[in-house]
């Protein structure tokens, strides 16, 4: 789907509509001004002809023209014709069509080529059936040139004006929609962060934004509620499952040690015991996740020597490694103190190292490096085991995700190990990443802020 921002859409429509309206209004104004200009010229020529006739005195059968009569006055030229249309006096513009017929008391425009004139013919009778025609001629070139100038100015200014209007519109819309942007940003922060109990600040004015914010907060409330219900449910369910599973395990163990069982029965009970241990592992990890996600408290963090902690975990897993003839190498800087939760950090290292052993090759190695890097602690757990295919890389952090589902039953694999690791790293403000080549090995890197 094409992506258009609301701001761009509104600006586009608003500018388009303003451009059409403004264009229509400007065109109407230009046409109107042109019309007014023409009718003013009509009146001007008519007035000039009436004024010119003042120079003529009619008496009985004859007329007298004042000796100082001028045939040009303020842009208007005058011609005097007899009743047969013969030119008696006067002058006319160079290109003016001389044959233009006389039409009594009527203003009209006459065109020749690019030139245009406004003329007015007045007829004045005297004596017995005699008449004089007076024609006034003025060029309407002036109005046209003004109009052309105006049109050119409008065409030049118009695009700039529209751009300006569009820009002003965009700025205004941006301002109007800023609260919506803020809501989106804050909502992103809340939904992407760990604390669903945060809420959006309510605006002071009860407008649309207020109601939108209110709806968002209600939604967060419901989300938080359902997350808490889910966590509570897994905590309760795992807790309830723990006792029966422990009973199952101890009964199996009792049967194996004290029961008089046939070889087949023993094998059956051993399978039962293995499966019960697997359930027990799953239940205790689930319980840990459910409980600790709720109760982890950074204020109760203590100072821990991370190198020593890792050394202890590595030693604990030595026996496990020996079963596959895997060698564990450790390299630690001294005094790498971190503020954290000891149980959680041990669980994290336990998960990473036991994974490296479990997915490692016979006679392989696991290298653990804990060093100082600037103001941080850098950790690395490397193995030369089976590796992880690129298509699984971003999924291995998900709960219950396992690359090879058929290996799940071995050694109580639950698919929860790395999701816990990721969460523990996050709780301690750290970061973790992984690099792996299928068939060659895997390296997990992590960084923690140093105390
Ligand atoms: P699991 O209980 O299955 O080990 P994890 O969450 O610890 O679950 O790991 C998820 C998946 O990531 C594993 O199923 C495994 O395929 C892969 N994985 C984890 N660590 C390694 C490793 N060191 N080498 C190869 N694959 C690994």
């Amino acid at each position: 789907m094409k992506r258009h921002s609301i701001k761009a859409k509104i600006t586009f429509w608003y500018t388009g509509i303003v451009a059409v309206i403004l264009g229509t209004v400007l065109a109407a104004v230009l046409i109107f001004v042109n019309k007014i200009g023409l009718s003013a010229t009509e009146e001007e020529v008519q007035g000039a002809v009436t004024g010119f006739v003042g120079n003529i005195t009619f008496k009985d059968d004859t007329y007298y023209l004042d000796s100082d009569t001028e045939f040009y006055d303020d842009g208007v030229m005058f011609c005097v014709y007899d009743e047969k249309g013969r030119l008696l006096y006067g002058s006319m513009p160079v290109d003016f069509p001389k044959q233009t017929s006389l039409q009594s008391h009527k203003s009209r425009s006459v065109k020749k080529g690019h030139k245009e004139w406004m003329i007015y013919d007045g007829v004045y009778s005297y004596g017995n059936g005699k008449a004089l025609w007076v024609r006034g001629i003025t060029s309407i070139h002036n109005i046209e040139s003004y109009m052309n100038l105006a049109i050119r100015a409008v065409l030049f200014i118009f695009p700039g004006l529209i751009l300006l209007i569009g820009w002003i519109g965009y700025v205004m819309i941006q301002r109007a929609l800023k609260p919506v942007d803020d809501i989106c940003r804050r909502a992103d922060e809340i939904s992407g962060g760990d604390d669903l109990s945060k809420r959006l600040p309510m605006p002071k004015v009860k407008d649309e934004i207020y109601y939108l914010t209110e709806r968002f907060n209600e939604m967060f409330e419901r989300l938080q509620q359902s997350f808490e219900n889910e966590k509570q449910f897994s905590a309760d369910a795992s807790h309830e499952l723990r006792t029966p599973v422990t009973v199952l395990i101890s009964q199996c163990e009792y049967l194996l040690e004290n029961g008089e069982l046939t070889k087949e029965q023993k094998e059956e009970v051993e399978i039962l015991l293995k499966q019960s241990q697997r359930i027990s592992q799953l239940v205790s990890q689930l319980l840990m996740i459910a409980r600790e996600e709720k109760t982890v408290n950074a204020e109760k963090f203590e100072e821990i020597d991370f190198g020593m902690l890792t050394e202890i975990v590595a030693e604990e897993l030595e026996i496990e490694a020996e079963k596959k003839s895997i060698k564990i190498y450790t390299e630690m800087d001294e005094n790498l103190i971190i503020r954290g939760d000891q149980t959680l950090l041990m669980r994290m290292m336990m998960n990473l190292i036991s994974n490296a052993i479990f997915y490692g090759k016979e006679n392989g190695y696991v290298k653990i490096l804990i060093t100082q890097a600037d103001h941080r602690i850098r950790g690395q757990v490397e193995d030369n085991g089976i590796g992880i295919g690129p298509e699984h890389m971003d999924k291995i952090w998900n709960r219950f995700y396992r690359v090879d589902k058929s290996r799940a039953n071995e050694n109580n694999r639950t698919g929860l190990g790395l999701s816990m690791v990721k969460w523990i790293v996050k709780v301690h403000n750290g970061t973790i990443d992984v690099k792996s080549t299928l068939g060659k090995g895997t390296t997990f890197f992590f960084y923690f802020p140093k105390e």
Side-chain angles (χ1 to χ4, degrees), residues 285 351-352 355-360 381 383 385-388 392 395-398 400-404 408 412-421 436 441-444:
Q285 288 203 1
N351 287 0
L352 286 179
N355 272 359
I357 297 169
F358 184 73
Y359 298 105
V381 178
D383 65 63
I386 59 169
I388 308 166
H392 301 290
K395 299 193 199 111
I396 53 169
W397 306 102
N398 297 345
F400 299 111
Y401 188 83
R402 289 185 305 256
V403 173
D404 184 356
N412 302 335
R413 311 310 297 180
T414 57
L416 287 169
L418 286 183
S419 77
M420 261 176 113
V421 168
S436 187
T442 308
T443 309
F444 285 89

mmCIF file of all heavy atoms in Angstrom, residues 285 351-352 355-360 381 383 385-388 392 395-398 400-404 408 412-421 436 441-444, ligand 1:
data_model
loop_
_atom_site.group_PDB
_atom_site.id
_atom_site.type_symbol
_atom_site.label_atom_id
_atom_site.label_comp_id
_atom_site.label_asym_id
_atom_site.label_seq_id
_atom_site.Cartn_x
_atom_site.Cartn_y
_atom_site.Cartn_z
ATOM 1 N N GLN A 285 11.446 -23.276 35.434
ATOM 2 C CA GLN A 285 11.834 -22.124 34.600
ATOM 3 C C GLN A 285 10.652 -21.192 34.378
ATOM 4 O O GLN A 285 10.794 -19.980 34.435
ATOM 5 C CB GLN A 285 12.377 -22.620 33.260
ATOM 6 C CG GLN A 285 13.750 -23.249 33.404
ATOM 7 C CD GLN A 285 14.541 -23.233 32.121
ATOM 8 O OE1 GLN A 285 14.079 -22.728 31.121
ATOM 9 N NE2 GLN A 285 15.725 -23.790 32.143
ATOM 10 N N ASN A 351 22.914 -20.885 31.472
ATOM 11 C CA ASN A 351 22.206 -21.174 30.215
ATOM 12 C C ASN A 351 23.151 -21.076 29.020
ATOM 13 O O ASN A 351 23.142 -21.936 28.138
ATOM 14 C CB ASN A 351 21.039 -20.192 30.014
ATOM 15 C CG ASN A 351 19.883 -20.486 30.954
ATOM 16 O OD1 ASN A 351 19.954 -21.412 31.750
ATOM 17 N ND2 ASN A 351 18.813 -19.703 30.864
ATOM 18 N N LEU A 352 23.979 -20.014 28.993
ATOM 19 C CA LEU A 352 24.863 -19.832 27.837
ATOM 20 C C LEU A 352 25.904 -20.943 27.748
ATOM 21 O O LEU A 352 26.134 -21.521 26.672
ATOM 22 C CB LEU A 352 25.568 -18.465 27.919
ATOM 23 C CG LEU A 352 24.718 -17.230 27.606
ATOM 24 C CD1 LEU A 352 25.553 -15.964 27.763
ATOM 25 C CD2 LEU A 352 24.174 -17.302 26.172
ATOM 26 N N ASN A 355 24.377 -24.405 27.043
ATOM 27 C CA ASN A 355 24.028 -24.471 25.612
ATOM 28 C C ASN A 355 25.272 -24.775 24.776
ATOM 29 O O ASN A 355 25.248 -25.595 23.867
ATOM 30 C CB ASN A 355 23.445 -23.139 25.129
ATOM 31 C CG ASN A 355 21.941 -23.071 25.332
ATOM 32 O OD1 ASN A 355 21.344 -24.026 25.809
ATOM 33 N ND2 ASN A 355 21.328 -21.944 24.979
ATOM 34 N N ALA A 356 26.380 -24.054 25.107
ATOM 35 C CA ALA A 356 27.620 -24.239 24.341
ATOM 36 C C ALA A 356 28.094 -25.686 24.442
ATOM 37 O O ALA A 356 28.603 -26.248 23.465
ATOM 38 C CB ALA A 356 28.692 -23.281 24.854
ATOM 39 N N ILE A 357 27.897 -26.288 25.626
ATOM 40 C CA ILE A 357 28.310 -27.694 25.789
ATOM 41 C C ILE A 357 27.335 -28.610 25.049
ATOM 42 O O ILE A 357 27.731 -29.482 24.277
ATOM 43 C CB ILE A 357 28.358 -28.074 27.291
ATOM 44 C CG1 ILE A 357 29.413 -27.219 28.020
ATOM 45 C CG2 ILE A 357 28.640 -29.565 27.458
ATOM 46 C CD1 ILE A 357 29.364 -27.320 29.531
ATOM 47 N N PHE A 358 26.033 -28.348 25.268
ATOM 48 C CA PHE A 358 25.010 -29.225 24.689
ATOM 49 C C PHE A 358 25.050 -29.213 23.157
ATOM 50 O O PHE A 358 24.912 -30.243 22.516
ATOM 51 C CB PHE A 358 23.627 -28.794 25.185
ATOM 52 C CG PHE A 358 22.536 -29.706 24.717
ATOM 53 C CD1 PHE A 358 22.381 -30.974 25.257
ATOM 54 C CD2 PHE A 358 21.661 -29.319 23.703
ATOM 55 C CE1 PHE A 358 21.382 -31.823 24.827
ATOM 56 C CE2 PHE A 358 20.659 -30.161 23.250
ATOM 57 C CZ PHE A 358 20.522 -31.419 23.820
ATOM 58 N N TYR A 359 25.245 -28.018 22.577
ATOM 59 C CA TYR A 359 25.272 -27.925 21.114
ATOM 60 C C TYR A 359 26.713 -27.997 20.579
ATOM 61 O O TYR A 359 26.962 -27.716 19.413
ATOM 62 C CB TYR A 359 24.569 -26.646 20.636
ATOM 63 C CG TYR A 359 23.112 -26.635 21.042
ATOM 64 C CD1 TYR A 359 22.666 -25.834 22.093
ATOM 65 C CD2 TYR A 359 22.190 -27.455 20.411
ATOM 66 C CE1 TYR A 359 21.336 -25.844 22.494
ATOM 67 C CE2 TYR A 359 20.861 -27.478 20.811
ATOM 68 C CZ TYR A 359 20.438 -26.675 21.853
ATOM 69 O OH TYR A 359 19.126 -26.703 22.244
ATOM 70 N N GLY A 360 27.649 -28.307 21.468
ATOM 71 C CA GLY A 360 29.059 -28.431 21.072
ATOM 72 C C GLY A 360 29.344 -29.819 20.513
ATOM 73 O O GLY A 360 28.559 -30.747 20.701
ATOM 74 N N VAL A 381 30.958 -16.076 25.014
ATOM 75 C CA VAL A 381 30.918 -17.531 25.203
ATOM 76 C C VAL A 381 30.947 -18.157 23.808
ATOM 77 O O VAL A 381 30.019 -17.962 23.025
ATOM 78 C CB VAL A 381 29.643 -17.961 25.971
ATOM 79 C CG1 VAL A 381 29.599 -19.481 26.111
ATOM 80 C CG2 VAL A 381 29.601 -17.316 27.348
ATOM 81 N N ASP A 383 31.737 -21.484 21.169
ATOM 82 C CA ASP A 383 31.911 -22.932 21.024
ATOM 83 C C ASP A 383 32.189 -23.265 19.570
ATOM 84 O O ASP A 383 31.999 -22.424 18.682
ATOM 85 C CB ASP A 383 30.656 -23.676 21.532
ATOM 86 C CG ASP A 383 29.434 -23.380 20.700
ATOM 87 O OD1 ASP A 383 29.418 -23.719 19.501
ATOM 88 O OD2 ASP A 383 28.461 -22.781 21.234
ATOM 89 N N GLY A 385 30.651 -25.787 18.013
ATOM 90 C CA GLY A 385 29.631 -26.817 17.881
ATOM 91 C C GLY A 385 28.868 -26.768 16.569
ATOM 92 O O GLY A 385 29.415 -26.359 15.528
ATOM 93 N N ILE A 386 27.583 -27.120 16.645
ATOM 94 C CA ILE A 386 26.790 -27.330 15.416
ATOM 95 C C ILE A 386 26.408 -26.018 14.710
ATOM 96 O O ILE A 386 26.084 -26.017 13.539
ATOM 97 C CB ILE A 386 25.500 -28.133 15.712
ATOM 98 C CG1 ILE A 386 24.624 -27.400 16.735
ATOM 99 C CG2 ILE A 386 25.819 -29.536 16.187
ATOM 100 C CD1 ILE A 386 23.234 -27.999 16.874
ATOM 101 N N GLY A 387 26.462 -24.916 15.440
ATOM 102 C CA GLY A 387 26.121 -23.622 14.828
ATOM 103 C C GLY A 387 24.618 -23.466 14.615
ATOM 104 O O GLY A 387 23.833 -24.404 14.845
ATOM 105 N N ILE A 388 24.233 -22.268 14.180
ATOM 106 C CA ILE A 388 22.803 -21.968 13.975
ATOM 107 C C ILE A 388 22.631 -21.422 12.566
ATOM 108 O O ILE A 388 23.397 -20.539 12.151
ATOM 109 C CB ILE A 388 22.300 -20.918 14.994
ATOM 110 C CG1 ILE A 388 22.658 -21.352 16.427
ATOM 111 C CG2 ILE A 388 20.804 -20.671 14.871
ATOM 112 C CD1 ILE A 388 22.516 -20.246 17.464
ATOM 113 N N HIS A 392 17.327 -18.973 11.564
ATOM 114 C CA HIS A 392 16.853 -19.130 12.950
ATOM 115 C C HIS A 392 17.377 -18.036 13.871
ATOM 116 O O HIS A 392 16.913 -17.913 15.006
ATOM 117 C CB HIS A 392 17.314 -20.472 13.520
ATOM 118 C CG HIS A 392 16.818 -21.649 12.738
ATOM 119 N ND1 HIS A 392 15.497 -22.022 12.737
ATOM 120 C CD2 HIS A 392 17.458 -22.515 11.921
ATOM 121 C CE1 HIS A 392 15.352 -23.082 11.958
ATOM 122 N NE2 HIS A 392 16.520 -23.386 11.431
ATOM 123 N N LYS A 395 15.108 -15.840 15.788
ATOM 124 C CA LYS A 395 14.001 -16.502 16.498
ATOM 125 C C LYS A 395 14.470 -17.222 17.758
ATOM 126 O O LYS A 395 13.652 -17.532 18.620
ATOM 127 C CB LYS A 395 13.330 -17.512 15.559
ATOM 128 C CG LYS A 395 12.731 -16.867 14.330
ATOM 129 C CD LYS A 395 11.835 -17.848 13.618
ATOM 130 C CE LYS A 395 11.615 -17.413 12.184
ATOM 131 N NZ LYS A 395 12.265 -18.296 11.231
ATOM 132 N N ILE A 396 15.777 -17.478 17.862
ATOM 133 C CA ILE A 396 16.245 -18.295 18.996
ATOM 134 C C ILE A 396 15.980 -17.612 20.341
ATOM 135 O O ILE A 396 15.982 -18.273 21.362
ATOM 136 C CB ILE A 396 17.755 -18.628 18.887
ATOM 137 C CG1 ILE A 396 18.561 -17.343 18.699
ATOM 138 C CG2 ILE A 396 18.015 -19.619 17.764
ATOM 139 C CD1 ILE A 396 20.063 -17.575 18.848
ATOM 140 N N TRP A 397 15.742 -16.303 20.315
ATOM 141 C CA TRP A 397 15.489 -15.572 21.573
ATOM 142 C C TRP A 397 14.035 -15.719 22.027
ATOM 143 O O TRP A 397 13.695 -15.318 23.131
ATOM 144 C CB TRP A 397 15.803 -14.086 21.398
ATOM 145 C CG TRP A 397 17.174 -13.825 20.882
ATOM 146 C CD1 TRP A 397 17.517 -13.507 19.605
ATOM 147 C CD2 TRP A 397 18.401 -13.898 21.621
ATOM 148 N NE1 TRP A 397 18.869 -13.368 19.494
ATOM 149 C CE2 TRP A 397 19.450 -13.603 20.730
ATOM 150 C CE3 TRP A 397 18.733 -14.190 22.942
ATOM 151 C CZ2 TRP A 397 20.784 -13.577 21.103
ATOM 152 C CZ3 TRP A 397 20.060 -14.153 23.328
ATOM 153 C CH2 TRP A 397 21.075 -13.857 22.413
ATOM 154 N N ASN A 398 13.184 -16.265 21.142
ATOM 155 C CA ASN A 398 11.766 -16.390 21.514
ATOM 156 C C ASN A 398 11.559 -17.548 22.482
ATOM 157 O O ASN A 398 12.255 -18.559 22.406
ATOM 158 C CB ASN A 398 10.908 -16.650 20.267
ATOM 159 C CG ASN A 398 10.975 -15.493 19.304
ATOM 160 O OD1 ASN A 398 11.420 -14.408 19.675
ATOM 161 N ND2 ASN A 398 10.566 -15.713 18.068
ATOM 162 N N PHE A 400 10.257 -20.831 23.986
ATOM 163 C CA PHE A 400 9.904 -22.157 23.470
ATOM 164 C C PHE A 400 10.387 -22.399 22.042
ATOM 165 O O PHE A 400 9.982 -23.348 21.407
ATOM 166 C CB PHE A 400 8.384 -22.416 23.535
ATOM 167 C CG PHE A 400 7.847 -22.377 24.929
ATOM 168 C CD1 PHE A 400 7.013 -21.346 25.343
ATOM 169 C CD2 PHE A 400 8.184 -23.362 25.837
ATOM 170 C CE1 PHE A 400 6.521 -21.303 26.640
ATOM 171 C CE2 PHE A 400 7.696 -23.326 27.138
ATOM 172 C CZ PHE A 400 6.870 -22.297 27.537
ATOM 173 N N TYR A 401 11.261 -21.510 21.524
ATOM 174 C CA TYR A 401 11.760 -21.747 20.163
ATOM 175 C C TYR A 401 12.975 -22.675 20.222
ATOM 176 O O TYR A 401 13.940 -22.414 20.936
ATOM 177 C CB TYR A 401 12.121 -20.431 19.464
ATOM 178 C CG TYR A 401 12.447 -20.662 18.005
ATOM 179 C CD1 TYR A 401 11.436 -20.750 17.064
ATOM 180 C CD2 TYR A 401 13.760 -20.848 17.585
ATOM 181 C CE1 TYR A 401 11.718 -21.007 15.730
ATOM 182 C CE2 TYR A 401 14.047 -21.100 16.245
ATOM 183 C CZ TYR A 401 13.020 -21.181 15.334
ATOM 184 O OH TYR A 401 13.303 -21.434 14.018
ATOM 185 N N ARG A 402 12.912 -23.732 19.448
ATOM 186 C CA ARG A 402 14.048 -24.650 19.361
ATOM 187 C C ARG A 402 14.304 -24.936 17.897
ATOM 188 O O ARG A 402 13.366 -25.174 17.135
ATOM 189 C CB ARG A 402 13.743 -25.957 20.092
ATOM 190 C CG ARG A 402 13.701 -25.797 21.607
ATOM 191 C CD ARG A 402 13.525 -27.138 22.250
ATOM 192 N NE ARG A 402 12.346 -27.774 21.712
ATOM 193 C CZ ARG A 402 11.191 -27.878 22.358
ATOM 194 N NH1 ARG A 402 11.067 -27.389 23.556
ATOM 195 N NH2 ARG A 402 10.179 -28.460 21.802
ATOM 196 N N VAL A 403 15.581 -24.895 17.499
ATOM 197 C CA VAL A 403 15.902 -25.123 16.092
ATOM 198 C C VAL A 403 15.559 -26.561 15.709
ATOM 199 O O VAL A 403 14.845 -26.811 14.747
ATOM 200 C CB VAL A 403 17.400 -24.823 15.829
ATOM 201 C CG1 VAL A 403 17.774 -25.221 14.408
ATOM 202 C CG2 VAL A 403 17.684 -23.351 16.074
ATOM 203 N N ASP A 404 16.043 -27.497 16.520
ATOM 204 C CA ASP A 404 15.812 -28.907 16.206
ATOM 205 C C ASP A 404 14.852 -29.481 17.243
ATOM 206 O O ASP A 404 15.251 -29.849 18.350
ATOM 207 C CB ASP A 404 17.163 -29.650 16.230
ATOM 208 C CG ASP A 404 17.002 -31.102 15.811
ATOM 209 O OD1 ASP A 404 15.851 -31.524 15.593
ATOM 210 O OD2 ASP A 404 18.034 -31.793 15.713
ATOM 211 N N ALA A 408 14.471 -32.065 21.675
ATOM 212 C CA ALA A 408 13.904 -31.442 22.861
ATOM 213 C C ALA A 408 13.932 -32.353 24.084
ATOM 214 O O ALA A 408 14.140 -31.885 25.202
ATOM 215 C CB ALA A 408 12.478 -31.023 22.571
ATOM 216 N N ASN A 412 16.485 -32.367 29.108
ATOM 217 C CA ASN A 412 15.525 -31.359 29.584
ATOM 218 C C ASN A 412 15.601 -30.019 28.851
ATOM 219 O O ASN A 412 15.601 -28.964 29.463
ATOM 220 C CB ASN A 412 15.700 -31.096 31.083
ATOM 221 C CG ASN A 412 15.520 -32.357 31.875
ATOM 222 O OD1 ASN A 412 14.840 -33.287 31.402
ATOM 223 N ND2 ASN A 412 16.104 -32.427 33.042
ATOM 224 N N ARG A 413 15.714 -30.025 27.563
ATOM 225 C CA ARG A 413 15.715 -28.736 26.829
ATOM 226 C C ARG A 413 14.299 -28.202 26.784
ATOM 227 O O ARG A 413 13.370 -28.939 26.438
ATOM 228 C CB ARG A 413 16.226 -28.895 25.381
ATOM 229 C CG ARG A 413 17.502 -29.629 25.175
ATOM 230 C CD ARG A 413 18.629 -29.184 26.032
ATOM 231 N NE ARG A 413 19.045 -27.814 25.812
ATOM 232 C CZ ARG A 413 20.034 -27.238 26.473
ATOM 233 N NH1 ARG A 413 20.690 -27.902 27.399
ATOM 234 N NH2 ARG A 413 20.367 -26.002 26.231
ATOM 235 N N THR A 414 14.142 -26.949 27.121
ATOM 236 C CA THR A 414 12.784 -26.394 27.196
ATOM 237 C C THR A 414 12.531 -25.310 26.152
ATOM 238 O O THR A 414 11.393 -24.933 25.902
ATOM 239 C CB THR A 414 12.550 -25.754 28.580
ATOM 240 O OG1 THR A 414 13.554 -24.759 28.765
ATOM 241 C CG2 THR A 414 12.611 -26.783 29.675
ATOM 242 N N GLY A 415 13.583 -24.790 25.594
ATOM 243 C CA GLY A 415 13.401 -23.683 24.633
ATOM 244 C C GLY A 415 13.194 -22.355 25.340
ATOM 245 O O GLY A 415 12.824 -21.350 24.733
ATOM 246 N N LEU A 416 13.454 -22.335 26.673
ATOM 247 C CA LEU A 416 13.261 -21.088 27.428
ATOM 248 C C LEU A 416 14.588 -20.413 27.779
ATOM 249 O O LEU A 416 14.627 -19.259 28.178
ATOM 250 C CB LEU A 416 12.509 -21.384 28.732
ATOM 251 C CG LEU A 416 11.028 -21.716 28.586
ATOM 252 C CD1 LEU A 416 10.468 -22.242 29.887
ATOM 253 C CD2 LEU A 416 10.253 -20.488 28.160
ATOM 254 N N GLY A 417 15.691 -21.181 27.583
ATOM 255 C CA GLY A 417 17.003 -20.712 28.044
ATOM 256 C C GLY A 417 17.401 -19.344 27.521
ATOM 257 O O GLY A 417 17.682 -18.425 28.302
ATOM 258 N N LEU A 418 17.402 -19.167 26.196
ATOM 259 C CA LEU A 418 17.890 -17.896 25.636
ATOM 260 C C LEU A 418 16.925 -16.741 25.885
ATOM 261 O O LEU A 418 17.357 -15.598 26.020
ATOM 262 C CB LEU A 418 18.165 -18.043 24.136
ATOM 263 C CG LEU A 418 19.429 -18.833 23.779
ATOM 264 C CD1 LEU A 418 19.635 -18.840 22.278
ATOM 265 C CD2 LEU A 418 20.656 -18.243 24.460
ATOM 266 N N SER A 419 15.608 -17.054 25.957
ATOM 267 C CA SER A 419 14.672 -15.955 26.223
ATOM 268 C C SER A 419 14.934 -15.414 27.630
ATOM 269 O O SER A 419 14.865 -14.209 27.869
ATOM 270 C CB SER A 419 13.221 -16.405 26.056
ATOM 271 O OG SER A 419 12.807 -17.144 27.170
ATOM 272 N N MET A 420 15.307 -16.314 28.534
ATOM 273 C CA MET A 420 15.653 -15.875 29.888
ATOM 274 C C MET A 420 16.937 -15.051 29.874
ATOM 275 O O MET A 420 17.040 -14.010 30.511
ATOM 276 C CB MET A 420 15.859 -17.090 30.774
ATOM 277 C CG MET A 420 14.666 -17.391 31.612
ATOM 278 S SD MET A 420 14.989 -18.867 32.486
ATOM 279 C CE MET A 420 15.054 -18.262 34.095
ATOM 280 N N VAL A 421 17.926 -15.561 29.098
ATOM 281 C CA VAL A 421 19.202 -14.846 29.007
ATOM 282 C C VAL A 421 18.962 -13.413 28.536
ATOM 283 O O VAL A 421 19.445 -12.444 29.130
ATOM 284 C CB VAL A 421 20.154 -15.574 28.025
ATOM 285 C CG1 VAL A 421 21.350 -14.710 27.680
ATOM 286 C CG2 VAL A 421 20.609 -16.897 28.614
ATOM 287 N N SER A 436 27.060 -16.793 14.374
ATOM 288 C CA SER A 436 27.143 -18.237 14.272
ATOM 289 C C SER A 436 27.313 -18.670 12.829
ATOM 290 O O SER A 436 26.806 -18.014 11.917
ATOM 291 C CB SER A 436 25.859 -18.843 14.842
ATOM 292 O OG SER A 436 25.987 -20.243 14.892
ATOM 293 N N GLY A 441 30.285 -23.288 14.521
ATOM 294 C CA GLY A 441 30.262 -22.846 15.922
ATOM 295 C C GLY A 441 29.503 -21.554 16.131
ATOM 296 O O GLY A 441 29.086 -20.896 15.170
ATOM 297 N N THR A 442 29.348 -21.238 17.417
ATOM 298 C CA THR A 442 28.523 -20.085 17.792
ATOM 299 C C THR A 442 29.254 -19.270 18.849
ATOM 300 O O THR A 442 29.930 -19.840 19.708
ATOM 301 C CB THR A 442 27.189 -20.584 18.379
ATOM 302 O OG1 THR A 442 26.621 -21.507 17.462
ATOM 303 C CG2 THR A 442 26.209 -19.456 18.629
ATOM 304 N N THR A 443 29.102 -17.939 18.745
ATOM 305 C CA THR A 443 29.656 -17.074 19.791
ATOM 306 C C THR A 443 28.590 -16.086 20.251
ATOM 307 O O THR A 443 27.974 -15.404 19.427
ATOM 308 C CB THR A 443 30.870 -16.267 19.260
ATOM 309 O OG1 THR A 443 31.770 -17.191 18.657
ATOM 310 C CG2 THR A 443 31.563 -15.525 20.368
ATOM 311 N N PHE A 444 28.354 -16.046 21.549
ATOM 312 C CA PHE A 444 27.448 -15.044 22.129
ATOM 313 C C PHE A 444 28.310 -13.938 22.739
ATOM 314 O O PHE A 444 29.281 -14.225 23.435
ATOM 315 C CB PHE A 444 26.586 -15.688 23.232
ATOM 316 C CG PHE A 444 25.495 -16.555 22.675
ATOM 317 C CD1 PHE A 444 25.715 -17.901 22.413
ATOM 318 C CD2 PHE A 444 24.245 -16.025 22.408
ATOM 319 C CE1 PHE A 444 24.711 -18.705 21.884
ATOM 320 C CE2 PHE A 444 23.238 -16.826 21.883
ATOM 321 C CZ PHE A 444 23.473 -18.168 21.617
HETATM 322 P P1 LIG B 1 16.974 -24.942 24.405
HETATM 323 O O1 LIG B 1 16.374 -25.324 25.698
HETATM 324 O O2 LIG B 1 16.356 -25.631 23.229
HETATM 325 O O3 LIG B 1 18.468 -25.010 24.403
HETATM 326 P P2 LIG B 1 17.394 -22.099 24.253
HETATM 327 O O4 LIG B 1 16.448 -20.976 24.386
HETATM 328 O O5 LIG B 1 18.532 -22.169 25.207
HETATM 329 O O6 LIG B 1 16.558 -23.411 24.226
HETATM 330 O O7 LIG B 1 18.004 -22.024 22.790
HETATM 331 C C1 LIG B 1 17.145 -21.895 21.687
HETATM 332 C C2 LIG B 1 17.740 -22.576 20.460
HETATM 333 O O8 LIG B 1 18.902 -21.886 20.042
HETATM 334 C C3 LIG B 1 18.181 -23.977 20.723
HETATM 335 O O9 LIG B 1 17.137 -24.895 20.470
HETATM 336 C C4 LIG B 1 19.328 -24.187 19.761
HETATM 337 O O10 LIG B 1 18.858 -24.650 18.545
HETATM 338 C C5 LIG B 1 19.875 -22.802 19.558
HETATM 339 N N1 LIG B 1 21.120 -22.586 20.324
HETATM 340 C C6 LIG B 1 21.277 -21.987 21.489
HETATM 341 N N2 LIG B 1 22.572 -21.951 21.871
HETATM 342 C C7 LIG B 1 23.252 -22.553 20.868
HETATM 343 C C8 LIG B 1 24.650 -22.862 20.664
HETATM 344 N N3 LIG B 1 25.600 -22.514 21.529
HETATM 345 N N4 LIG B 1 24.979 -23.505 19.513
HETATM 346 C C9 LIG B 1 24.036 -23.853 18.610
HETATM 347 N N5 LIG B 1 22.709 -23.609 18.776
HETATM 348 C C10 LIG B 1 22.333 -22.976 19.889
#
